[in-house]
Amino acid sequence: MAEARRNPGFGGVFMNGLITENPTFTLMLGMCPTLGVTTAAMNGVSMGLATTFVLVFSNLFISLLRNIIPDKVRIPAYIVIIASFVTMIDLIMQAFLPDLRAVLGTYIQLIVVNCIIFARAESFAAKNPPLLSLADGLGMGLGFTVSITLLSCIRELFGSGSIFGFSVMPEAYQPMAIMNMVPGGFITLGLMMVLVNFIKKALSARKEARA
Amino acid sequence: MFGKQMFPGGVHPHEGVGGKAANQGNAIREMPAPRRVIIPLSMHIGAPARPVVQKGDHVLMGQVIAEAGGFVSAPIHASVSGTVLEIGEAQMPNGAIVRAILIDNDFRDEWVELHPCGHPETLTPAEAQQVIREAGIVGMGGAAFPTAVKLTPAPGKVIEKLILNGAECEPYLTADHRLMLEKAVEIVDGLRLVMLAFGVKDAIIGIEDNKPDAIAAMRAAAKPVDGIRVQALPVRYPQGGEKQLIYALTRRVVPNGGLPLDVGCVVCNVGTMYAIDQAIREGRPLVQRVTTIGGLVQNPGNYLVRIGTPVRHLLDACGGLRAEAKMLVSGGPMMGQAFNNLETPVTKGTSGIIALGADSLDPDEGPCIRCGRCMRACPMKLLPVHMDHFIREFNYNEAERLGVMNCIECGACTYVCPAKRLLTQSFRMGKKVITARRKAAAELAKKEKEEAERERAAREAAEKKEG
Amino acid sequence: MQAKWTIAPAPHVRDNVTSRRIMIDVCLALAPAGIMSIVYFGAAAAGLIAISVLTCVLTEYLYQRLTGAKVTVGDWSAVVTGLLLAYNIPASAPWWIPVVGGVFAILIVKQLFGGIGSNFMNPALTARAVLFISWGSIMGAYPATQLMADTVSGATPLALLAEDASQVNLVDLLIGNCGGVLGETCKIALILGGVYLIVRGIIDWRVPACFIGMVFVCYLFMGGFDLALKEILAGGLMLGAFFMATDYATTPTSVLGRCIMGAGCGLLCFVIRAFANYPEGCSFAILFMNVATPLIDRFTMTKHFGEVKKHG
Amino acid sequence: MSTFLAILVGQILVNNYVMCQFFGICPFLGVSKKFDTALGMGLAVTFVITVASFITWLVQSFVLTPFHLEYLQTIAFILVIAVLVQLVEMALKKLSYSLYQALGVYLPLITTNCVVLAVAINNITDGYNLLESTFSGFCSALGFTLALLLLAGIRERMEVSNMPKWMQGFPGALIMAGLMAVAFMGFGGLI
């Protein structure tokens, strides 16, 4: 793992989560919400921020408690910590953003089983001091947010002809309804990854050429 | 189960210029002996023969010039009288360079003294095997497996049925066809003698029904003999494949990895049976064979050729090649080997020399379109499309699981493939790799066992010392 | 004078059937239905067919040029996809429908998975389904044929059958004088093409037989002979059974597998037609069976010759 | 009876959790490389979901609702599932070691398989009774297994085809899944 090799500071860990090990495009974690809620850009941002909230606090708390929690019961313990924060954000949303909560539906509750959170708890927060864990949570969370916002922008653009609810396509454009449905999600993300693979290949080729 | 088709799968390969139609009317003619014969020492399956003559020796026709190199092997006889030029090399149709005895012909055709068998109808199995072995007879359909070995059943196995292969399913080839027409009596006689020697009550001669004259001739010859039946078979390649023929004639299925004897059958080519008859009745060893020269040659024909005659001599005798000829094949076009050295000699297994034109050159391979034609063409009911995909991905384990080792390399799948993929070639390669791996694994296991043995011995010795 | 003789692995004779010839044969078999569609729907049909074929061929060509792959447009498979896609579009569709469909079919369904033979779903059908889901109002609007009486304009035979079988005239169904997408209306032309393919040995007769037979039997139990007969002649069943459920790359390779494919398509087609949202179940039925094809292949592997138990 | 048929067809085809609702995508993409592992995962998931549906319904009906603790649903259910997975693992180890060897590796992954939690929550939201909940769980799991096996079959086939390099792995699997989802859309409105 990258964090074992060098000793990056707060910023390094943050950037690592945001770009180098972007949870969606590199680690391929948290696919269900990535695909499930990204029919509109607004949903993507909200889901991303909600996940970030949970990720930051669960990482922080798990890191704080990492020397107290016995190894044997660590998984149930993590789950309880994560589930508490998920319940918290769920109740907050129900109270202040009931419409959004209704759109995102079960996916908010399902943040608890989002493998990004679990994976970061297990592989980072359990081994690193609180501040770094916080940075990791923030980086990963925002990386996730950026990715799913991007995905939801594309899907909203083609599927509804708008971005964040603002119409951007010409009048004559007939929305491509399938982009709002399951196949559209899979295929758009797949194509984005093909593109990422392309770019990575081009970058590594350039790096090799320079070396 | 497979209806009139007689065996699963199969194809109808088409023929070009100089095919069966052009050649089946040409009676067997004796090819004049060449100035020099090149007799390879390994033209059969098994160990190479060991030369027993030296450079400068004078040899007579039919004289043993090399003795069998093991149980699965065959002796080799001089096909001309003359002087041994050297023990040199020859290139075989498959490109391999093997040791060979070169003899300069003195054109006197002096035979050694022949010893016909005194009591041909009361031979014991052992005597018959000995006669056949000493005559150097191997399977003349192309595989060249020593016939005496084939006729030696493993303990507990009995030869119930003798099957004579007169299918000649390869396109272009007509040598067996002509032989059955012209030597029907001798072939049936040979078959009868073998049946008597091995106590076989039942023999079937399978002939594809595109040779009605041969069927009639063989039926006429077989009529006076009890227990011999001539069976017409539908035309379908590879009808002459051992397992396919056994199934078509007896409905018995040779188990995978097994031999025909596992189902009580022995299959012999008609040419082989003719050679056996010659060996028993006249004491003649195998020094010449009938070979078809077909395709794009000026005068196609069926010739009685001395073993060791270079192809160049054959082609010259047929008036040379036509200008369109692009490829030379030893054997039939489906399974034969393309070669480019005109000094390649005719061997005991050379059933034909075929010249093919530009349409036989390999077209570009396209991607597989999964049409499934290869699966329906495969006479072994394998799944060529899947095996090929695995082998090209170097996934030999999966290919092995799908049964690539049972591939008989008949070429039917490659023939039908619309994408022109070299399926058979892919399986040949896969089989080679898998065989090599098995061998390596066996050797490793053996080594480990030895190692363990040695360690144990050492430990015991040490214990003893301490004790 | 040692001549240069070619060395190549056996066998040295090849059948003269090539992938290209197979595809050209399929195009030929599709031709009668195309001609009939132009007769029924006029220049709009011709235009859509041309755009669709052109898009498919061009997409394949450009993709292969851009990625440096071998250009294989010469094998005619893109033309087949283009034709099939066009046949699944109603005559009233705007020009961009076949363009979007063609790019999707060739680029995403076919080339991204490796081109001809590697795709696991029928490109034309998948594109049709995507278009249908996205622009249901365009794809689901079936204009009347030029020869049709005004009274029944618009409604497809399938929709009419769902209400009352006696509304549909059998002869109209057969000659194709009824609403529907371009290529599916004239059943006689489709059957002609299908029989041609069967005779030429290009498709396995078992697939259309199982497919159509299954739908027939299902409807026979549900609504009797008249309904069953009209159901198999209505909608895209003939087009699907002869030309799409027999697509090599996306259907099982074994004989038994192909029978299962046909029967499965028939059953699903019946279920979707009779009970689901979409009036036309044929495309989705075939697509679902395409998805199941690798599994069918897996479980219908034949035993080798010699693996069987000894016969008596 | 018709309720059960509706649940059966609905959970397997029409509202397939993976193909129509985006649940359980991580194991769906992660464990579908080989048919055999996909089968093992499918069986393990089927077992866990069926039992989890049963228990979570009991928990909801006899603990959460009577004590007005509905807001603790997420915590309660996920704990039940986590404990259940642990118990199943231990039980399998004791009772059938061969089964444990076959399925054991997949069990820890199931805790974070959101299908399990989603099914449990949806059972309550849809107002199913105990039997319906259990049956719905079983059918959902079958639907998950079906999708998993279908994708595994396709991926095994693609392994030996000439798929371009940049499609191999996740991108290819995602697009395959997308095309599969197109096929599943045909079942819309079946119930």
Side-chain angles (χ1 to χ4, degrees):
Chain A
M1 282 254 113
E3 49 270 22
R5 255 186 283 120
R6 54 207 155 81
N7 195 5
F10 188 90
V13 172
F14 176 75
M15 289 311 284
N16 179 54
L18 192 62
I19 295 170
T20 326
E21 287 190 21
N22 185 292
T24 305
F25 289 111
T26 313
L27 303 180
M28 319 275 175
L29 292 173
M31 285 291 147
C32 305
T34 305
L35 293 164
V37 301
T38 51
T39 49
M42 201 54 216
N43 297 354
V45 176
S46 334
M47 186 67 203
L49 292 180
T51 310
T52 309
F53 169 85
V54 176
L55 192 50
V56 167
F57 283 98
S58 65
N59 256 14
L60 182 65
F61 271 74
I62 287 166
S63 177
L64 284 172
L65 299 173
R66 70 183 191 278
N67 297 325
I68 303 166
I69 300 171
D71 200 44
K72 273 205 171 149
V73 294
R74 71 179 195 287
I75 290 175
Y78 295 166
I79 286 178
V80 171
I81 294 171
I82 296 167
S84 311
F85 286 109
V86 172
T87 310
M88 227 181 271
I89 190 90
D90 190 14
L91 295 177
I92 292 171
M93 284 182 84
Q94 278 180 24
F96 298 105
L97 301 161
D99 296 342
L100 195 61
R101 169 63 177 74
V103 171
L104 299 178
T106 324
Y107 288 104
I108 291 290
Q109 278 172 294
L110 289 181
I111 293 177
V112 74
V113 281
N114 187 327
C115 26
I116 300 182
I117 298 174
F118 212 81
R120 294 327 288 175
E122 179 85 356
S123 68
F124 197 94
K127 297 173 194 148
N128 287 287
L131 198 63
L132 274 185
S133 300
L134 189 100
D136 181 70
L138 204 59
M140 284 285 164
L142 290 181
F144 178 69
T145 311
V146 168
S147 310
I148 69 169
T149 307
L150 201 63
L151 179 63
S152 52
C153 281
I154 295 174
R155 287 181 69 186
E156 192 184 342
L157 177 67
F158 287 103
S160 315
S162 58
I163 292 180
F164 286 102
F166 299 107
S167 278
V168 287
M169 284 295 208
E171 276 294 288
Y173 180 75
Q174 305 232 24
M176 193 172 176
I178 199 167
M179 293 298 277
N180 289 338
M181 302 181 192
V182 178
F186 275 124
I187 293 173
T188 313
L189 185 61
L191 290 179
M192 283 170 79
M193 281 188 181
V194 169
L195 207 66
V196 168
N197 275 5
F198 244 167
I199 294 168
K200 266 189 197 159
K201 221 171 89 182
L203 283 181
S204 69
R206 191 182 293 174
K207 209 179 260 173
E208 258 169 43
R210 213 181 289 153
Chain B
M1 186 176 174
F2 299 106
K4 202 174 165 276
Q5 193 177 313
M6 305 301 265
F7 66 93
V11 292
H12 285 286
H14 61 266
E15 298 193 46
V17 180
K20 284 191 184 198
N23 229 345
Q24 63 194 9
N26 295 336
I28 300 170
R29 278 177 290 163
E30 175 143 13
M31 168 85 50
R35 203 170 45 78
R36 178 182 296 160
V37 290
I38 307 161
I39 306 181
L41 291 176
S42 37
M43 48 181 159
H44 47 256
I45 289 178
R50 276 191 299 268
V52 291
V53 291
Q54 284 172 348
K55 185 177 170 176
D57 282 0
H58 184 79
V59 293
L60 297 175
M61 211 171 151
Q63 181 180 334
V64 175
I65 52 175
E67 59 184 17
F71 176 66
V72 182
S73 183
I76 287 165
H77 306 77
S79 57
V80 294
S81 59
T83 318
V84 176
L85 179 72
E86 62 169 330
I87 296 177
E89 284 173 342
Q91 188 169 25
M92 300 293 276
N94 64 8
I97 308 277
V98 300
R99 290 181 79 202
I101 299 175
L102 280 64
I103 304 173
D104 270 331
N105 192 353
D106 61 9
F107 292 100
R108 275 189 245 148
D109 282 355
E110 289 174 296
W111 276 87
V112 289
E113 201 182 325
L114 298 178
H115 301 286
C117 189
H119 50 102
E121 309 203 345
T122 52
L123 288 169
T124 63
E127 283 169 342
Q129 284 157 6
Q130 194 190 353
V131 171
I132 293 168
R133 182 175 298 119
E134 283 176 358
I137 295 172
V138 301
M140 286 165 76
F145 188 77
T147 307
V149 180
K150 213 183 221 178
L151 284 169
T152 311
K157 299 264 159 52
V158 187
I159 307 175
E160 294 168 29
K161 283 175 193 285
L162 264 173
I163 289 173
L164 211 50
N165 182 358
E168 201 160 48
C169 54
E170 278 265 13
Y172 289 92
L173 300 185
T174 50
D176 289 351
H177 183 177
R178 290 310 305 180
L179 196 70
M180 286 188 285
L181 269 183
E182 297 175 29
K183 306 285 181 195
V185 177
E186 288 85 344
I187 295 171
V188 170
D189 182 57
L191 180 58
R192 191 175 69 92
L193 295 180
V194 174
M195 285 167 76
L196 286 173
F198 290 92
V200 183
K201 298 276 178 293
D202 195 9
I204 312 171
I205 306 175
I207 305 173
E208 280 193 351
D209 58 15
N210 58 351
K211 302 183 255 291
D213 48 352
I215 296 174
M218 294 300 285
R219 282 214 169 116
K223 208 168 182 190
V225 188
D226 275 347
I228 299 185
R229 180 160 63 88
V230 177
Q231 173 75 50
L233 297 166
V235 179
R236 199 160 181 83
Y237 178 86
Q239 188 67 266
E242 208 168 49
K243 292 174 178 180
Q244 283 66 37
L245 192 66
I246 292 174
Y247 182 74
L249 292 174
T250 68
R251 288 286 177 239
R252 296 182 187 187
V253 176
V254 180
N256 284 337
L259 293 170
L261 261 173
D262 292 339
V263 290
C265 295
V266 168
V267 181
C268 275
N269 180 267
V270 287
T272 316
M273 201 47 83
Y274 177 67
I276 291 175
D277 185 60
Q278 296 274 298
I280 298 177
R281 290 282 179 191
E282 298 176 24
R284 276 180 193 243
L286 180 58
V287 294
Q288 49 193 1
R289 66 157 294 143
V290 181
T291 295
T292 300
I293 298 165
L296 296 167
V297 290
Q298 298 293 356
N299 307 309
N302 302 295
Y303 292 92
L304 189 62
V305 185
R306 314 277 176 117
I307 306 295
T309 307
V311 168
R312 184 192 300 281
H313 178 82
L314 254 60
L315 296 178
D316 288 347
C318 295
L321 291 163
R322 295 210 201 174
E324 312 95 89
K326 292 271 186 247
M327 181 190 271
L328 284 174
V329 176
S330 166
M334 292 298 284
M335 288 186 78
Q337 264 147 346
F339 61 99
N340 64 4
N341 184 349
L342 289 183
E343 300 306 322
T344 300
V346 167
T347 66
K348 290 175 181 175
T350 308
S351 46
I353 300 290
I354 311 291
L356 297 169
D359 54 346
S360 289
L361 304 184
D362 278 326
D364 279 347
E365 267 191 324
C368 170
I369 59 169
R370 289 174 50 92
C371 63
R373 280 175 169 74
C374 50
M375 288 167 61
R376 277 184 288 296
C378 182
M380 296 303 290
K381 289 173 77 181
L382 300 174
L383 308 168
V385 45
H386 302 299
M387 295 191 318
D388 179 53
H389 284 149
F390 284 125
I391 288 175
R392 284 176 201 238
E393 288 289 318
F394 310 107
N395 191 344
Y396 298 106
N397 292 343
E398 276 298 301
E400 195 176 354
R401 194 179 63 77
L402 291 180
V404 70
M405 295 311 281
N406 297 320
C407 170
I408 57 169
E409 300 176 21
C410 67
C413 49
T414 314
Y415 175 79
V416 293
C417 181
K420 307 297 161 202
R421 292 173 77 75
L422 295 170
L423 298 166
T424 316
Q425 180 63 4
S426 153
F427 304 148
R428 254 180 232 129
M429 195 190 81
K431 281 167 78 174
K432 246 178 223 164
V433 174
I434 294 169
T435 314
R437 281 189 181 178
R438 282 182 181 175
K439 216 167 145 189
E443 260 165 33
L444 192 72
K446 203 174 140 200
K447 219 179 197 174
E448 272 170 7
K449 206 176 155 193
E450 281 173 3
E451 198 92 329
E453 198 82 349
R454 208 172 306 133
E455 255 171 43
R456 199 174 53 108
R459 204 173 48 237
E460 273 172 11
E463 275 167 12
K464 209 176 251 174
K465 219 174 179 179
E466 276 171 23
Chain C
M1 45 144 251
Q2 173 102 8
K4 268 287 169 195
W5 305 106
T6 309
I7 297 293
H12 308 292
V13 277
R14 303 294 191 89
D15 201 356
N16 50 12
V17 175
T18 59
S19 307
R20 183 163 180 265
R21 223 196 69 186
I22 291 174
M23 294 304 162
I24 293 177
D25 263 345
V26 176
C27 291
L28 280 178
L30 281 168
I35 293 166
M36 289 314 287
S37 77
I38 296 172
V39 170
Y40 283 132
F41 299 108
L48 286 173
I49 293 174
I51 293 172
S52 173
V53 171
L54 222 66
T55 310
C56 287
V57 174
L58 212 64
T59 309
E60 180 151 316
Y61 177 78
L62 288 177
Y63 172 86
Q64 286 172 334
R65 283 305 296 268
L66 287 177
T67 54
K70 200 175 146 206
V71 175
T72 59
V73 287
D75 65 18
W76 282 67
S77 65
V79 178
V80 173
T81 304
L83 282 177
L84 286 176
L85 176 64
Y87 285 10
N88 276 305
I89 294 174
S92 57
W95 62 271
W96 51 267
I97 283 277
V99 173
V100 173
V103 171
F104 189 88
I106 295 292
L107 191 67
I108 293 177
V109 187
K110 184 178 170 195
Q111 289 300 341
L112 276 184
F113 290 102
I116 182 171
S118 294
N119 50 307
F120 69 96
M121 274 166 85
N122 188 317
L125 262 188
T126 315
R128 190 248 169 129
V130 167
L131 294 174
F132 202 98
I133 296 166
S134 296
W135 296 286
S137 55
I138 297 175
M139 292 297 287
Y142 301 121
T145 65
Q146 293 176 350
L147 313 172
M148 227 154 98
D150 291 334
T151 45
V152 283
S153 72
T156 63
L158 277 174
L160 294 173
L161 279 174
E163 293 167 14
D164 179 10
S166 61
Q167 287 182 53
V168 184
N169 180 339
L170 201 62
V171 178
D172 275 350
L173 275 182
L174 271 175
I175 62 168
N177 194 16
C178 51
V181 294
L182 286 187
E184 75 179 17
T185 57
C186 184
K187 303 304 172 312
I188 293 181
L190 288 170
I191 294 171
L192 203 70
V195 170
Y196 172 77
L197 290 185
I198 292 172
V199 170
R200 296 279 282 172
I202 287 169
I203 61 170
D204 195 333
W205 60 270
R206 294 175 189 89
V207 181
C210 291
F211 192 161
I212 297 169
M214 192 66 166
V215 174
F216 185 82
V217 170
C218 288
Y219 272 105
L220 199 62
F221 280 110
M222 193 176 131
F225 183 79
D226 187 47
L227 178 70
L229 189 64
K230 284 173 179 169
E231 278 286 348
I232 62 168
L233 289 172
L237 180 60
M238 288 290 164
L239 184 63
F242 283 114
F243 295 96
M244 307 218 220
T246 54
D247 173 30
Y248 290 148
T250 58
T251 57
T253 43
S254 66
V255 170
L256 177 64
R258 285 180 175 174
C259 291
I260 296 175
M261 170 85 196
C265 283
L267 186 66
L268 288 175
C269 179
F270 164 75
V271 168
I272 297 176
R273 268 190 188 181
F275 305 112
N277 278 349
Y278 298 99
E280 176 51 294
C282 191
S283 337
F284 286 110
I286 297 172
L287 286 179
F288 189 81
M289 292 310 283
N290 284 167
V291 170
T293 290
L295 293 192
I296 299 176
D297 256 344
R298 191 187 175 91
F299 291 110
T300 57
M301 281 194 179
T302 42
K303 278 191 167 168
H304 317 157
F305 188 57
E307 226 177 13
V308 243
K309 271 191 185 158
K310 252 199 255 179
H311 286 241
Chain D
M1 197 59 223
S2 62
T3 325
F4 285 99
L5 189 68
I7 291 175
L8 181 78
V9 177
Q11 305 293 39
I12 294 180
L13 296 177
V14 185
N15 299 318
N16 185 300
Y17 269 90
V18 184
M19 297 275 69
C20 307
Q21 301 190 51
F22 283 133
F23 289 114
I25 306 294
C26 297
F28 176 63
L29 296 175
V31 205
S32 56
K33 262 197 153 158
K34 285 265 165 287
F35 181 85
D36 296 331
T37 47
L39 188 64
M41 182 66 171
L43 290 177
V45 166
T46 309
F47 186 74
V48 172
I49 291 186
T50 313
V51 180
S53 299
F54 182 79
I55 296 176
T56 49
W57 191 89
L58 293 179
V59 169
Q60 177 79 24
S61 305
F62 295 108
V63 182
L64 298 182
T65 314
F67 296 100
H68 303 291
L69 293 169
E70 285 94 340
Y71 60 90
L72 286 180
Q73 193 191 42
T74 315
I75 300 181
F77 282 13
I78 194 69
L79 264 181
V80 166
I81 293 166
V83 171
L84 180 68
V85 170
Q86 288 281 319
L87 284 179
V88 167
E89 196 176 346
M90 277 150 59
L92 270 186
K93 217 176 196 169
K94 276 261 165 66
L95 297 174
S96 163
Y97 194 71
S98 58
L99 203 62
Y100 171 76
Q101 275 187 319
L103 306 183
V105 282
Y106 310 111
L107 285 170
L109 293 174
I110 295 177
T111 315
T112 53
N113 182 344
C114 48
V115 176
V116 188
L117 187 58
V119 171
I121 294 173
N122 284 354
N123 281 339
I124 306 303
T125 319
D126 292 346
Y128 286 147
N129 63 29
L130 181 60
L131 200 58
E132 285 165 350
S133 288
T134 315
F135 187 67
S136 151
F138 178 68
C139 292
S140 311
L142 281 191
F144 174 80
T145 310
L146 175 72
L148 195 62
L149 293 183
L150 288 173
L151 184 66
I154 294 170
R155 287 182 79 172
E156 274 198 357
R157 183 183 146 192
M158 286 303 153
E159 195 96 316
V160 292
S161 81
N162 33 2
M163 198 158 71
K165 263 202 193 80
W166 52 82
M167 276 285 285
Q168 278 157 18
F170 275 95
L174 276 168
I175 295 179
M176 285 173 213
L179 297 181
M180 282 169 70
V182 173
F184 268 84
M185 292 212 59
F187 299 112
L190 213 52
I191 49 163

